[in-house]
Amino acid sequence: MSTYLTKRLLYMLVILFAASLLIFCLYALTPGDFITGNIKLTAERKAELREIYGLNKPVLERYGLWMKDAFHGNFGYSLAQQKPVLQLFSDYIWNSFLLAAVSTFLTWVIAVIVGVISAYKQYSWFDTLVMVAIFAAMSLPSFFIGLFLIKILAVDLKWLPPGGMITTGSNATGLAYLKEVVRHMTLPVVVMVLLGLGSLTRYFRSNMIDVLQQDYIRTARAKGLKERKVLFTHALRNALLPAITLVGFELPALFGGSLIIEQIFNWPGIGQLYMKSFGLRDYPLLMGFTMFIAILTVIGTLLSDILYRVADPRVRL
Amino acid sequence: MKEIMKIDGLSTVFFTDEGKVRAVDDISFRVREGETVCIVGESGCGKSVTAMSIMGLVEEPGGKVSGGSIDFLGEDLLRLDKNSLRAIRGHEIAMIFQEPMSSLNPVIKIGEQIMEPLIVHQKMKKKAARQRAVELISQVGISRAEQIADSYPHELSGGMLQRIMIAIAISCSPKLLIADEPTTALDVTIQAQILDMLREFKESSGMSMMLITHDLGVVAEMADYVIVMYSGKIVEEGEVVQLFQNPKHPYTRGLLKSKPVMGQRQDELYSIPGQVPNPLELASSCYFHDRCEHCMPVCRTRHPGLKEVGGGQKAACWLYEEAEVHV
């Protein structure tokens, strides 16, 4: 196990090094930079600014400087926001995390329950209904569902606020603040759950159908166990095992924010910051963010491998 | 001897895309106390489905028991409610399966899998059940029982897993043990050990056994009474010695003839010509007629009933019907 871990950690470093080079070069070699787009600046001023920001140095040298800073815990300085990238992350990321954590949790819980029931009652009216609903939800684009729900629930019925994280001008604290945030996050969470639910439910349904046909399920029934025990002790554990791979992918998603949802609901998350920075060609922030996601992805994969080891006795690392 | 199970007119059908398949078609037999009944036949003749029907494990909507009764100690298993049936399953009727490798849950420890029926049926506490599980493991001839109880199925060999399956099956001292090809997946030396073990348990506990197999060697070794099935029907049944010495039905004869005999090496083993009929295309006829060397006109049009043919044997064949029935 420990030799495996050392090996994996070494691989991780190599992968991250390659990723950083790729990320830096892609952004650095893209034509134009933060200064190009600013029409108010004269050519001399632009050259002066490039000199100050170090944008006129060769790409590899800039990469070296970037890496050196990164090793000292400095992931760059946002040109547009005039703040360190890391500070911006900590300002925005938790808002994104809140949305993602709540909706991911709800999505998984609902998907497991609905998937298990659908599989157990395969081809029943419930199963058919679920399958139709899932295809409908999966076929609709997020911006459509988002805007549609805003129109119905926020604009027409005025049940929920249409966007933002707190009411404009509000300075509520404590419980009142919490209530306000919950009200504001309801719509985006609903949309995110609706969008994520389809594929995950189908995934658990088909896993569960596979497992229910296994010989050991027949053995469990032949022992005279209650159907509930057969389903949840014998079948579900085996059906959940392959989902561990997905847990690894969820980690970057938890912190990565959602570009479209945050845009639609004007949620002050990292996804919106990212979109804004794109328009401004704020490359230090974009590079820092992409690198951050790369790190989370690598950690997520390692995490899922370790989880497999814990959950499945057949897996030896 | 007392009868513990009497099956009468049992039929089980499966619904496939091509149509309805009668996997088991109106069969009747009984199992007496302390007796070993062997059901023999080729793959797909309905042996396993018979066992699954008794256990109530034929699953809808794929298939269902469509008729008949299974009288077990005075209760009709087909008419019991789910809970009462579950109380019998694994308790008074236990079953072991063909594939020990896949019959145990891969993510649950062996010990816990043995404990489950003890906890459910014997209402044992966890600690007592665990102790009993360890005893059972050593009882089925596995050393280091404690250690085995804490291991997972993939760490054991097929033979050991089948012993574990036997341990689970006998854990609640069942009155009837159904063994569905218990040795087919194992190699020959292990087969003999498993069969010996089953026979020992049967003799010491007085339980009855229903052994499903296609191996006539196993039948000769184990059976008191033999039932030969073909295409979902019983074609012949009788005491084992009678049936081996004096087979009546051409199919049984064919089966016995195709068994290799020690010391009589042949260039080519006998095999029954033709193939098992497609279960979807069974018409009113003897299902064996197109493979039978004694085929008569009547065999193609009407199905023969199971009739006494002397010596306690029964056969379903027009060769033994009264002359007047012939049309």
Side-chain angles (χ1 to χ4, degrees):
Chain A
M1 179 81 185
S2 65
T3 47
Y4 170 82
L5 266 185
T6 341
K7 227 160 96 185
R8 272 306 293 268
L9 287 170
L10 277 174
Y11 285 152
M12 270 172 68
L13 284 181
V14 175
I15 290 168
L16 285 177
F17 172 72
S20 70
L21 194 64
L22 207 63
I23 288 166
F24 189 91
C25 292
L26 278 176
Y27 282 117
L29 296 176
T30 315
D33 52 32
F34 177 62
I35 297 146
T36 321
N38 196 335
I39 46 166
K40 284 186 227 153
L41 297 176
T42 58
E44 294 81 50
R45 180 62 185 150
K46 279 183 181 171
E48 218 173 278
L49 281 172
R50 287 213 174 87
E51 180 77 41
I52 295 171
Y53 293 143
L55 294 174
N56 53 352
K57 294 195 180 87
V59 173
L60 275 182
E61 193 188 334
R62 279 162 62 197
Y63 174 72
L65 286 172
W66 185 62
M67 281 303 273
K68 203 181 106 202
D69 282 349
F71 274 115
H72 291 99
N74 172 13
F75 277 83
Y77 193 80
S78 161
L79 301 176
Q81 318 274 333
Q82 292 295 324
K83 275 181 190 168
V85 167
L86 272 183
Q87 194 201 322
L88 282 166
F89 282 177
S90 70
D91 288 349
Y92 285 86
I93 230 158
W94 297 109
N95 297 343
S96 288
F97 178 76
L98 181 66
L99 270 194
V102 172
S103 60
T104 306
F105 176 76
L106 287 176
T107 310
W108 277 68
V109 170
I110 299 173
V112 168
I113 295 173
V114 176
V116 166
I117 299 175
S118 277
Y120 186 58
K121 307 243 176 224
Q122 199 187 356
Y123 304 133
S124 65
W125 63 266
F126 176 83
D127 183 37
T128 316
L129 196 76
V130 166
M131 285 300 114
V132 171
I134 278 171
F135 271 112
M138 279 170 84
S139 324
L140 293 171
S142 55
F143 58 84
F144 177 79
I145 301 192
L147 294 176
F148 185 69
L149 287 181
I150 289 176
K151 163 84 172 107
I152 304 271
L153 297 176
V155 179
D156 292 349
L157 295 169
K158 294 194 168 38
W159 286 352
L160 290 165
M165 192 168 161
I166 45 170
T167 315
T168 316
S170 156
N171 39 27
T173 50
L175 262 183
Y177 174 77
L178 188 74
K179 208 179 136 202
E180 208 166 275
V181 173
V182 168
R183 269 174 59 77
H184 280 80
M185 66 188 279
T186 305
L187 269 184
V189 165
V190 166
V191 174
M192 285 168 89
V193 171
L194 274 180
L195 291 170
L197 201 54
S199 54
L200 209 58
T201 307
R202 280 172 56 83
Y203 184 75
F204 284 124
R205 178 179 176 271
S206 66
N207 281 355
M208 196 70 182
I209 286 174
D210 278 352
V211 169
L212 284 175
Q213 285 162 351
Q214 297 296 315
D215 287 350
Y216 53 80
I217 297 300
R218 186 182 60 189
T219 307
R221 291 202 173 113
K223 283 185 200 171
L225 300 184
K226 288 211 171 74
E227 208 51 25
R228 189 160 27 96
K229 189 123 207 261
V230 173
L231 270 188
F232 292 103
T233 312
H234 284 268
L236 189 59
R237 264 193 77 182
N238 286 286
L240 286 180
L241 281 180
I244 289 175
T245 312
L246 299 184
V247 173
F249 295 132
E250 292 286 5
L251 188 71
L254 276 179
F255 294 94
S258 164
L259 299 185
I260 298 169
I261 302 287
E262 286 175 10
Q263 200 69 34
I264 294 170
F265 291 97
N266 193 25
W267 188 264
I270 195 92
Q272 224 191 15
L273 178 71
Y274 188 67
M275 280 298 279
K276 201 159 64 186
S277 309
F278 245 118
L280 298 168
R281 301 194 209 191
D282 190 359
Y283 290 143
L285 192 139
L286 297 177
M287 284 191 274
F289 181 74
T290 316
M291 196 58 213
F292 175 66
I293 295 298
I295 293 170
L296 286 180
T297 307
V298 177
I299 293 175
T301 319
L302 177 69
L303 202 71
S304 66
D305 282 359
I306 293 172
L307 273 176
Y308 260 120
R309 169 72 181 77
V310 175
D312 190 341
R314 287 164 296 183
V315 177
R316 288 276 165 274
L317 299 183
Chain B
M1 271 189 295
K2 217 176 91 193
E3 284 178 2
I4 69 158
M5 183 172 71
K6 191 164 180 298
I7 291 179
D8 198 17
L10 179 73
S11 297
T12 303
V13 294
F14 284 92
F15 306 99
T16 67
D17 291 339
E18 288 88 36
K20 195 159 91 171
V21 173
R22 293 177 181 280
V24 172
D25 191 2
D26 190 22
I27 65 165
S28 307
F29 65 94
R30 85 265 162 296
V31 179
R32 285 182 293 212
E33 206 169 55
E35 186 185 44
T36 300
V37 172
C38 274
I39 301 187
V40 211
E42 288 167 88
S43 316
C45 70
K47 318 174 288 235
S48 297
V49 177
T50 305
M52 299 306 264
S53 306
I54 296 169
M55 293 297 281
L57 293 175
V58 176
E59 275 172 77
E60 292 190 64
K64 75 174 215 243
V65 178
S66 59
S69 66
I70 301 171
D71 185 311
F72 180 78
L73 297 170
E75 281 179 298
D76 185 354
L77 296 184
L78 297 178
R79 272 151 202 86
L80 280 182
D81 63 280
K82 273 189 183 167
N83 286 326
S84 320
L85 184 61
R86 200 159 46 219
I88 292 177
R89 230 157 42 193
H91 187 197
E92 285 174 275
I93 307 179
M95 183 159 176
I96 46 185
F97 300 94
Q98 183 172 349
E99 292 286 345
M101 302 287 202
S102 57
S103 292
L104 287 161
N105 195 320
V107 297
I108 298 179
K109 284 180 183 165
I110 301 278
E112 282 171 48
Q113 300 196 51
I114 304 178
M115 286 156 64
E116 278 176 335
L118 294 168
I119 293 168
V120 174
H121 299 301
Q122 314 268 27
K123 311 279 177 266
M124 278 193 182
K125 292 268 176 297
K126 263 210 159 149
K127 224 173 162 184
R130 157 91 193 185
Q131 208 174 358
R132 181 79 187 110
V134 173
E135 281 169 30
L136 281 163
I137 295 173
S138 37
Q139 212 180 330
V140 290
I142 300 176
S143 50
R144 302 177 294 125
E146 283 279 353
Q147 203 182 325
I148 295 295
D150 283 326
S151 46
Y152 290 94
H154 72 277
E155 297 167 309
L156 272 62
S157 68
M160 277 168 113
L161 290 175
Q162 196 60 299
R163 285 166 197 262
I164 297 295
M165 288 300 289
I166 293 173
I168 294 174
I170 63 168
S171 64
C172 298
S173 318
K175 299 212 171 58
L176 173 66
L177 177 68
I178 302 175
D180 186 358
E181 310 225 12
T183 56
T184 306
L186 307 176
D187 67 61
V188 187
T189 49
I190 311 291
Q191 278 185 19
Q193 292 175 8
I194 297 285
L195 290 176
D196 280 343
M197 178 176 297
L198 284 172
R199 193 162 42 200
E200 265 167 45
F201 281 124
K202 200 208 84 174
E203 264 148 32
S204 63
S205 67
M207 71 182 179
S208 313
M209 192 151 75
M210 202 179 116
L211 183 63
I212 293 167
T213 181
H214 59 247
D215 184 341
L216 289 166
V218 172
V219 178
E221 187 102 341
M222 304 286 288
D224 298 315
Y225 195 81
V226 184
I227 293 169
V228 183
M229 281 184 80
Y230 188 79
S231 284
K233 289 270 194 193
I234 295 179
V235 292
E236 180 163 6
E237 58 175 272
E239 302 291 333
V240 62
V241 181
Q242 278 286 334
L243 191 122
F244 270 70
Q245 281 176 353
N246 193 10
K248 298 287 188 189
H249 197 286
Y251 178 61
T252 317
R253 288 190 204 152
L255 277 184
L256 288 169
K257 217 168 138 189
S258 44
K259 186 174 156 35
V261 182
M262 202 67 119
Q264 291 182 13
R265 201 180 267 233
Q266 289 147 312
D267 284 340
E268 204 174 324
L269 280 169
Y270 175 78
S271 66
I272 305 174
Q275 299 207 326
V276 183
N278 182 347
L280 286 160
E281 291 162 3
L282 293 180
S284 171
S285 66
C286 171
Y287 300 153
F288 189 60
H289 73 90
D290 53 357
R291 301 175 74 183
C292 182
E293 53 197 31
H294 306 289
C295 184
M296 301 177 289
V298 64
C299 304
R300 301 181 197 279
T301 52
R302 289 171 63 194
H303 195 277
L306 198 61
K307 293 272 158 63
E308 286 280 351
V309 288
Q313 252 167 292
K314 288 182 196 169
C317 180
W318 288 116
L319 286 175
Y320 306 98
E321 292 278 343
E322 300 293 325
E324 75 235 34
V325 190
H326 288 223
V327 188

